Amino acid sequence: MKKYAKWIGGGMGWVLGGPIGALLGFAIGSMIDTSSGINPYADGAAGGPRTTTNDFVISLLVLSAAVMKADGKVMKSELDYVKSFFTRQFGEARAKEQMLVLRELLKQPVDLPGVCRQIKANMAHPMRLQLLHYIFGIAAADGNIAGGELRVIQEAARHLGISQKDYESIRAMFGADEESAYKVLEIAENATDAEVKKAYRKMALKYHPDKLGDLGPEVERAAREKFTKVQEAYEVIKKKRGIK
């Protein structure tokens, strides 16, 4: 397992403490032991919490495990979704390592409130919105978001400090009807054309990929899917209303 030390240790910050660090310790044991040459304060984390790409990835993996176990069974479609996502973003070799960590995390109970509070304390709001979008994608991977999965996502959103409007907006990104388009833009169906345009500008700014630029091009690429959903929602409403 030491061949993964560079990925696990080099670039880790705040995830090596708290409930996430405990889960990581169970999953990969000596990989986060400083005696194996890994510095738990890599990238300047000792000077204060700063979310690195690896902090974000580990947070994704832990929340993935929580959602995948929510309905009592891990679906192949969910594993395929996660593997495909990480392969697209980070390449096949690194995705293989990440999937090994995920499989170990799936064996452990997840303190969801504690994990989410740790994430909220150290991660900026746009990054937390991206986490929520991702775990909705896992739940929807088999074409149906089960009740248990939805409850886990709702609990995660609450402890992540995500508002009900933002929660409904991201959930609606996985719908395909006109009602979903309005929810994506966080407006009512009786909104005026001017309000529609204003809402689009506001949501495009909120979900712009540049807000995740600090996490590197891989995470920024993933954020483009969410941004595209805002654009698509606006186009649906424009077409329906004949807005120019």
Side-chain angles (χ1 to χ4, degrees):
M1 297 294 283
K2 284 187 178 181
K3 64 181 179 178
Y4 302 134
K6 183 177 180 181
W7 172 60
I8 294 296
M12 287 294 182
W14 52 264
V15 294
L16 290 181
I20 297 179
L23 277 169
L24 208 53
F26 280 118
I28 50 183
S30 63
M31 291 173 62
I32 63 169
D33 189 333
T34 55
S35 66
S36 65
I38 300 174
N39 177 11
Y41 300 109
D43 283 3
R50 180 177 72 84
T51 299
T52 67
T53 302
N54 285 348
D55 292 323
F56 187 82
V57 168
I58 290 297
S59 299
L60 276 181
L61 290 172
V62 172
L63 292 179
S64 297
V67 171
M68 292 168 74
K69 296 192 295 181
D71 55 2
K73 56 182 182 290
V74 176
M75 305 291 291
K76 183 179 183 299
S77 56
E78 294 171 333
L79 283 169
D80 289 344
Y81 178 92
V82 177
K83 183 178 180 180
S84 175
F85 173 86
F86 281 108
T87 300
R88 289 196 312 272
Q89 305 309 320
F90 300 101
E92 188 172 350
R94 190 164 173 189
K96 183 177 179 181
E97 299 170 5
Q98 291 157 343
M99 291 302 293
L100 287 173
V101 174
L102 175 62
R103 290 178 186 277
E104 292 302 316
L105 290 171
L106 286 167
K107 301 174 185 178
Q108 305 297 329
V110 176
D111 172 13
L112 188 61
V115 163
C116 291
R117 285 193 293 267
Q118 182 180 0
I119 292 170
K120 180 185 176 184
N122 294 283
M123 191 179 287
H125 186 250
M127 299 176 190
R128 286 179 271 138
L129 291 176
Q130 185 63 27
L131 288 176
L132 186 66
H133 182 268
Y134 171 80
I135 59 178
F136 260 119
I138 292 177
D142 60 357
N144 175 55
I145 301 179
E149 292 171 327
L150 194 58
R151 285 191 293 274
V152 166
I153 295 173
Q154 288 172 330
E155 182 180 4
R158 185 170 67 254
H159 290 293
L160 286 170
I162 293 172
S163 71
Q164 186 64 26
K165 272 195 170 184
D166 283 343
Y167 169 86
E168 294 292 347
S169 172
I170 292 177
R171 180 180 179 183
M173 291 178 183
F174 295 88
D177 55 10
E178 186 182 342
E179 181 182 358
S180 296
Y182 284 97
K183 287 183 177 180
V184 168
L185 297 186
E186 297 185 359
I187 53 174
E189 293 185 45
N190 62 357
T192 66
D193 289 356
E195 288 171 334
V196 170
K197 292 178 181 179
K198 182 178 179 181
Y200 167 68
R201 291 192 295 269
K202 175 185 174 183
M203 299 306 291
L205 180 62
K206 179 188 290 187
Y207 291 138
H208 199 283
D210 286 353
K211 289 188 176 289
L212 281 80
D214 288 348
L215 295 180
E218 298 91 350
V219 177
E220 191 174 352
R221 274 199 303 271
R224 293 190 185 281
E225 180 180 346
K226 182 160 44 56
F227 183 67
T228 298
K229 290 294 183 180
V230 172
Q231 295 175 311
E232 290 174 353
Y234 184 49
E235 290 301 321
V236 166
I237 297 172
K238 281 176 60 180
K239 184 176 180 180
K240 179 72 175 179
R241 293 184 175 211
I243 298 175
K244 299 299 183 182

